[in-house]
Amino acid sequence: MESPHGAALCAEDFGLKGPRGWAFQGVGFTAGPGSLVAVEGPSGSGRTCLLLALTGRMRSTRGHAEVGGERLPGRLAAVRGFSALGPVPGVSELDPSLTVAEHLRERALLRRRFDGSPRSLLRRRSERAATARDTVDTALQDAGLDLAALPKAERTSVRDLERLEALRLSVALALMGRPRLLAVDDTDLRLSAADRNLAWELLRALAAGGTTVLAVCSEAPEDALTVRTRPAAGTDAARDDTTTGKETADAIAETGSA
């Protein structure tokens, strides 16, 4: 995959405290560009909050991190500009009522509206359409999603996708923005051992291509840089990542963008 250089990551005493206590705290690690970073831990250990904080979607409250040369929590918008979310419950979920084609078309239109340069808008419609098709095709190839293998090809509804297929679609949508940092939540959730291996193969390949990958999981592969989160003892933070759902959406809204 032809992509910009990945974003280096580092964190020092990084933490986030919500209304019910610490979601995570004391996180420290360093990862170079193009790394595969696995955020490992049980549900409720602040994994999703850490993922959202490192991608500029939630504001940390302790310590600092640096992502792609941008310091957090101060440079949230800058980090959001070159990072992308794969599947994150309550934040970037697929719409089960839409087809695969509808998701791809919608993302392509959003990219053209918000990510395109003014000069690109002056090109002929046929040229813009060809560019959009190339972007979609490249993202699908990099995510390993073969539309022809789906039950109804691109007209397959999301609700009819297998879990691994849905993961690949979410990753493809994220890759359409050519991010330097890709974040994926619940990487190994509800996957068989064989599909889990395929999911990690996908993320390894993306990291090898230069994109830094940050993946939440219950069990990290041996070749990943493993980061673990633990909420402080005696707090009420361990409630399925504390701010997942409505509170996550509210916290993200405060930063100005999902």
Side-chain angles (χ1 to χ4, degrees):
M1 178 181 70
E2 182 179 354
S3 67
H5 205 264
L9 301 173
C10 70
E12 183 177 343
D13 194 26
F14 201 48
L16 189 155
K17 189 174 186 178
R20 287 184 282 177
W22 288 98
F24 64 86
Q25 65 173 324
V27 173
F29 71 97
T30 300
S35 294
L36 174 59
V37 182
V39 181
E40 181 186 78
S43 178
S45 60
R47 306 172 308 173
T48 300
C49 289
L50 177 57
L51 177 146
L52 293 172
L54 288 171
T55 55
R57 271 76 176 179
M58 295 185 77
R59 186 179 297 276
S60 60
T61 55
R62 178 173 176 177
H64 69 272
E66 191 168 293
V67 182
E70 304 291 350
R71 191 177 177 91
L72 296 174
R75 298 281 291 170
L76 295 170
V79 172
R80 290 197 300 270
F82 59 75
S83 63
L85 299 180
V88 179
V91 180
S92 56
E93 294 173 302
L94 298 173
D95 187 334
S97 66
L98 297 181
T99 66
V100 172
E102 287 168 337
H103 272 287
L104 294 169
R105 190 179 306 115
E106 179 182 59
R107 184 60 57 91
L109 288 172
L110 287 173
R111 279 200 70 247
R112 187 189 310 172
R113 172 65 177 84
F114 295 106
D115 297 338
S117 66
R119 180 176 297 181
S120 69
L121 299 177
L122 300 177
R123 293 185 301 171
R124 290 180 298 181
R125 180 178 298 180
S126 60
E127 293 179 355
R128 296 199 303 268
T131 298
R133 285 195 298 271
D134 289 343
T135 298
V136 170
D137 290 344
T138 299
L140 289 172
Q141 180 178 350
D142 292 337
L145 183 61
D146 182 2
L147 298 185
L150 300 179
K152 296 181 180 179
E154 63 180 14
R155 292 178 294 176
T156 302
S157 295
V158 165
R159 64 169 59 92
D160 295 326
L161 296 176
E162 300 292 338
R163 161 66 181 162
L164 181 59
E165 293 169 341
L167 176 64
R168 291 187 188 277
L169 175 58
S170 289
V171 169
L173 294 172
L175 292 177
M176 287 173 64
R178 298 183 178 90
R180 297 172 61 197
L181 172 63
L182 170 68
V184 180
D185 198 12
D186 290 335
T187 301
D188 51 7
L189 180 67
R190 299 195 307 274
L191 289 179
S192 65
D195 283 350
R196 191 179 306 122
N197 289 335
L198 291 173
W200 285 114
E201 285 181 13
L202 164 63
L203 300 184
R204 284 190 196 95
L206 294 174
T211 303
T212 303
V213 178
L214 183 65
V216 165
C217 60
S218 58
E219 185 175 355
E222 293 183 357
D223 59 339
L225 171 62
T226 303
V227 177
R228 296 180 177 84
T229 58
R230 295 291 178 187
T235 71
D236 195 25
R239 293 188 183 181
D240 197 17
D241 286 342
T242 305
T243 53
T244 297
K246 182 181 183 301
E247 292 179 32
T248 297
D250 292 344
I252 290 173
E254 292 179 1
T255 70
S257 173

